[in-house]
Amino acid sequence: AQTVTQSQPEMSVQEAETVTLSCTYDTSESDYYLFWYKQPPSRQMILVIRQEAYKQQNATENRFSVNFQKAAKSFSLKISDSQLGDAAMYFCAYTRGLKAAGNKLTFGGGTRVLVKP
Amino acid sequence: GAVVSQHPSRVICKSGTSVKIECRSLDFQATTMFWYRQFPKKSLMLMATSNEGSKATYEQGVEKDKFLINHASLTLSTLTVTSAHPEDSSFYICSACPVDRPYGYTFGSGTRLTVV
């Protein structure tokens, strides 16, 4: 079974600084997708970034970027120029790369990000 | 963009009664929807995968008779918590993927269920 592990329960960052969240996963599949989701206090799940395993290039979305190390099964998220609005729970998630809408997401335990003004 | 509407956002029910939660994809069709449960400060736990026109697939340990899931159309899935008890109090979230974007997971805003 696939598992996703986030080893940092909580991370604190100064506003405008950079913070990196760790995520490791375990799978025997070669084709899969990885995600980072943000859950603010409203509890609405928001997609931050998505990475296809077959792509070697790391995905970026504005101030958010990932370091995808397929051999190490590592998928870290870097938040640059942190803003107060970045404060939230962040979840790493995995799904198999089968071309079907029925693929379930497996979530990590989450990392709470605190942003200090 | 894809939108998933989940209702109600909050519900309080008496112990022993049933409560229904709806999950609608507003601007896309979804053959599959997912139901999660989230305890405070914890991650999302998948309860079941809802398949349009067929029986839901439940995760191990989830009581099928307590958590009834119906996916009657390509835009609507419902979760009914039957004979609710205080331990069923939780935050429930649904998710769906457009048929033409299998990795475009979109989440509802969640339902906070309190059983008194």
Side-chain angles (χ1 to χ4, degrees):
Chain A
Q2 293 82 12
T3 58
V4 179
T5 303
Q6 295 178 247
S7 59
Q8 306 150 317
E10 186 174 287
M11 294 287 283
S12 184
V13 60
Q14 203 73 33
E15 195 175 5
E17 298 294 310
T18 296
V19 64
T20 299
L21 310 184
S22 300
C23 173
T24 58
Y25 57 95
D26 184 26
T27 183
S28 59
E29 306 283 342
S30 60
D31 186 21
Y32 50 87
Y33 286 68
L34 297 164
F35 305 79
W36 278 99
Y37 283 93
K38 171 184 178 180
Q39 188 180 42
S42 68
R43 305 189 79 168
Q44 174 70 57
M45 295 289 285
I46 302 166
L47 176 66
V48 175
I49 205 162
R50 184 180 77 186
Q51 175 81 44
E52 294 87 341
Y54 64 85
K55 290 187 177 179
Q56 292 186 333
Q57 187 173 5
N58 290 323
T60 63
E61 284 289 341
N62 300 314
R63 298 182 294 107
F64 299 88
S65 62
V66 296
N67 183 4
F68 174 47
Q69 300 292 325
K70 191 171 185 178
K73 296 181 181 177
S74 171
F75 183 61
S76 61
L77 174 71
K78 183 170 77 172
I79 306 174
S80 304
D81 185 25
S82 296
Q83 301 176 359
L84 295 178
D86 295 333
M89 281 290 290
Y90 287 81
F91 294 100
C92 179
Y94 163 100
T95 191
R96 294 187 301 172
L98 298 175
K99 288 183 171 57
N103 299 328
K104 61 184 181 182
L105 280 172
T106 300
F107 285 91
T111 297
R112 180 172 300 281
V113 171
L114 305 173
V115 181
K116 297 180 179 178
Chain B
V3 177
V4 170
S5 174
Q6 186 174 342
H7 289 284
S9 59
R10 291 174 179 262
V11 59
I12 300 174
C13 71
K14 292 185 177 180
S15 185
T17 62
S18 297
V19 61
K20 180 184 289 187
I21 302 170
E22 289 190 350
C23 180
R24 292 181 183 272
S25 55
L26 296 186
D27 49 2
F28 65 94
Q29 294 184 331
T31 54
T32 304
M33 293 185 177
F34 306 91
W35 288 96
Y36 297 88
R37 182 173 182 175
Q38 186 179 30
F39 292 102
K41 299 185 179 181
K42 298 294 184 181
S43 186
L44 281 71
M45 180 188 74
L46 180 66
M47 299 174 65
T49 301
S50 168
N51 302 295
E52 187 267 336
S54 63
K55 292 183 178 180
T57 303
Y58 290 82
E59 295 298 301
Q60 191 173 7
V62 177
E63 297 178 62
K64 301 178 183 181
D65 295 332
K66 166 165 278 297
F67 300 101
L68 299 179
I69 292 173
N70 182 275
H71 193 154
S73 76
L74 288 173
T75 59
L76 174 64
S77 177
T78 60
L79 167 66
T80 301
V81 183
T82 63
S83 186
H85 291 284
E87 56 265 31
D88 299 323
S89 298
S90 192
F91 192 70
Y92 294 88
I93 305 175
C94 71
S95 174
C97 286
V99 171
D100 57 348
R101 287 193 294 120
Y103 305 108
Y105 300 91
T106 303
F107 290 81
S109 54
T111 297
R112 182 180 301 279
L113 169 64
T114 303
V115 184
V116 298

